[in-house]
Amino acid sequence: MLDKLELDRRTLASSSPTNISRRGFLLGSAAASAGALVLSVGLPTRAAFAETANLPAGTRVPAFLELRPDNSVRLLSPFNEGGQGVFTAMAQIVGEELDADPATFVVENAPAGDDYKVMGPPMGRITGGSMSVRSSYDVMRRLGALARQMLLQAAANRLEVSIDDLTTEPGQVVHAASGRKLRYGMLAEAAMDLPVPDPDSVTLKTPDTFSWIGKPVERLDVRDKSTGKAVYSIDVQVDGMLHAAVQHAPRLGLTVGTLANEDDVKAMTGVHSIHRLDGAVAVVAERWWNAKRAVEALEVQWNDPGPDGTNKRYMPADFSTEAFRKQLAGEKAEGATAEAEGDAPAVLSKADTVIEATYFAQYLHHAQLEPPSTLARFNEDGTLDIWLPNQAPEMFQAAIAKIAGLEPDQVNIHSPMLGGFFGRHFLYADANPYPQAIALAKAVGRPVKLIWSREEEFLRDPLRPMVAVRMRASLSSDSMPEALEIVSACEGPMEANFGHNPKAVDPTAVEGLSGKSYAIPNRRIAQAYVRSPAPVAFWRSVGNSMNDFIYESFLDEMADKGSLDPFELRMRLLKDTPRLTTLLQHVADLSGGWKRGPFQAEDGTMRARGIAMASPFGSHTAAIAEVSLRDGEVVVHDIWETIDPGTIVNPATIEAQIRSAVALGVSQALVEDTVYESGEPQARNFDGYPILRPDQMPRVHVGIIESGEKMGGIGEPGLPAIPPAIANAVSHLSGKRVRSMPLSKITLDG
């Protein structure tokens, strides 16, 4: 079976809408992803699909794999690729058990469907929380082993030998007795039409026999990204589509009033139509630039129904981040307890030495490079095709079906490669363009691609929460922490998007504050719920991104108060946790030996070092930062970071993710800050929202410990220890305790 399919690389759908079957999806999207010429063979029959219906998700081989005659392997990944390297990891894991070189894999995002819910209930599947590889490692290995078994059976049938007499080499089945070898591509069609074996019937390889797992396999997505062939949602085109741009109300909760110049805008070049949406106006045009210019020209009167006149989050006209920070700092509630050990309040009430401080973490934008977009197309058969960046296809499918008035199986979710994650692509109310794209496509009767301009994205981007955290601690006679009480005033992203439970603590609000391994005998960790007028969301490493800064910085305050070195304090508090003391010593050795400073560097600058630790998403990290001050500005020269993720799939990906996380950690520590005045964000593009400049990026030195413990996450754990390591170094060098970010807004000597 050889089909030559000439397709424009940006065209992912035909001009004749159809309800896409899985077989059709496999064929069509294979062509779109591979470029101009694709050989598509070995596709399973409908009977083969039917026979897998009762198998557990993740073992239905025909849903995931297409074996091609050229010996390449097409894999539909249950997790979306957005730069974190999951496509390569999936190829390594499946290829290991399939006995196929990961370099021969073509990996794409899987569609929505029960076949791909490999995480099990209640998640099903999402790409987030640094869970992709660790949640599916065993399942995807078994998938590869089952496919290998099917190839062995197909070869046994063709050669008329016992399956027990066959083995495999990379990409081929071998009959050692006769010396005959059959390439996987020769067996593809027959193998994929065989029944999938019992998942419990295959034996997985032992780690000592691994060929690719644990090795620095090259990323599969780099070439297409480097050559411009990678297709993102913003690139997708279908025949007959129109383009749309929007102008949102300047504050959440406002409604559309009169349009003073509607007729003039309708007469502008390329304009097709003008539309009133929920809290926004849109222009549909033949080209996006025409739509953008026209919608920005609209003179809109925005009506303010007040907080009681809207069912959505309402932004007051007098809201400012400075006033909200003071409100959070003044919150006196004791909060709901998330963790309690001993009796911290009682010990603190009787202590001779008590340390008190209030720490702050700022609102932050996601600021991903790819602006949000959605392409929606209603088809003649009543189905809806929709292309959009997302981290949870089934969740989006259900939400889109409800909005469109369809059944979920009538909605075909297409998930192109993501231009960054950072927690941006979940179901945030008022922060996604898909409801608008659906409404516009329905109104004009043609496919519509809606792109939010950078300015509209900064206006509607849901933020990392702002928090104020009250810290109190007491020291024993030997200067060791004896009691610790923490109360965080904030709204966590989980409760912000799924509803606040007054009887419970949002775990995403206190992660990084609770569950620490430090042996402090009396602890109380709590959350005082304060609703945020600004919408809040998940952000890379979620609560850990702000709370580890707070906890680890205050731990240094305790060390200073007790005249202890902060490295030694951590070692003593973790003496009964050898995995973490090993980690701490490893990063010290990586840096050439711990020295706090201040000390004079070879270039004559006075420098100091700070240390911090974090244990998010099943992994453990320790980081050391070396800084100096130049005219009051913080200069981060070096970051040393060691991670212990337990078990490793690809060390090269781990190093890349640590470097990426360091960049984002340094950026939020030094410069990033979302500021509101009069209910509106002051930054509407990168000229007003600075991110880390290339000349501010430190040298990064990465250490990896494979402890053999349960596998942890990779994408997010590298970030949380970076801001406190920097802050602790700056505090010691400047003599001024850093209790908030970004450091660019703190006056420092130097």
Side-chain angles (χ1 to χ4, degrees), residues 150-218:
M150 294 163 72
L151 286 162
L152 287 169
Q153 186 61 60
N157 295 344
R158 177 175 294 191
L159 298 176
E160 298 181 339
V161 299
S162 169
I163 192 172
D164 295 331
D165 294 333
L166 299 174
T167 186
T168 59
E169 295 175 356
Q172 56 188 354
V173 177
V174 178
H175 184 239
S178 65
R180 288 177 292 178
K181 297 182 179 182
L182 296 175
R183 296 167 67 247
Y184 286 174
M186 300 170 63
L187 300 167
E189 187 170 5
M192 287 293 97
D193 278 338
L194 289 173
V196 177
D198 181 345
D200 295 328
S201 68
V202 293
T203 301
L204 302 183
K205 296 170 69 173
T206 56
D208 60 298
T209 64
F210 284 168
S211 299
W212 295 290
I213 291 178
K215 307 297 192 298
V217 171
E218 292 184 2

Side-chain angles (χ1 to χ4, degrees), residues 463-539:
L463 312 173
R464 188 189 73 173
M466 178 186 285
V467 303
V469 183
R470 303 197 311 269
M471 314 285 289
R472 289 202 305 155
S474 65
L475 305 181
S476 61
S477 57
D478 62 353
S479 298
M480 294 296 289
E482 187 176 36
L484 174 64
E485 184 174 42
I486 302 174
V487 180
S488 175
C490 71
E491 179 180 31
M494 189 70 75
E495 61 196 349
N497 291 285
F498 298 102
H500 170 61
N501 181 355
K503 298 181 180 180
V505 174
D506 183 348
T508 60
V510 296
E511 59 185 357
L513 299 174
S514 62
K516 293 292 189 180
S517 297
Y518 296 119
I520 300 175
N522 299 281
R523 305 182 305 276
R524 179 178 181 266
I525 317 299
Q527 179 200 5
Y529 173 75
V530 180
R531 181 175 168 84
S532 167
V536 296
F538 305 100
W539 198 85

Side-chain angles (χ1 to χ4, degrees), residues 665-685:
V666 176
S667 187
Q668 68 146 315
L670 297 189
V671 296
E672 291 191 43
D673 190 16
T674 300
V675 177
Y676 272 72
E677 293 179 9
S678 301
E680 299 181 28
Q682 295 305 286
R684 295 290 296 272
N685 210 320

Side-chain angles (χ1 to χ4, degrees), residues 580 583 612-616 619-623 641-644 658 717-718 720-721:
L580 295 185
L583 178 71
M613 304 182 75
S615 297
S619 292
H620 302 276
T621 62
E641 184 163 22
T642 296
I643 182 170
D644 176 358
I658 292 294

Side-chain angles (χ1 to χ4, degrees), residues 51 423 429 470 498 595 723 748:
E51 291 174 3
R470 303 197 311 269
F498 298 102
K595 55 179 178 179
L748 298 165

Side-chain angles (χ1 to χ4, degrees), residues 7 57 99 119 137 288 304 306 344-345 354 395 482 535 637 644 663:
L7 284 175
D99 205 358
M119 298 172 72
Y137 181 66
W288 184 77
D304 190 344
V354 177
M395 292 183 187
E482 187 176 36
H637 296 278
D644 176 358

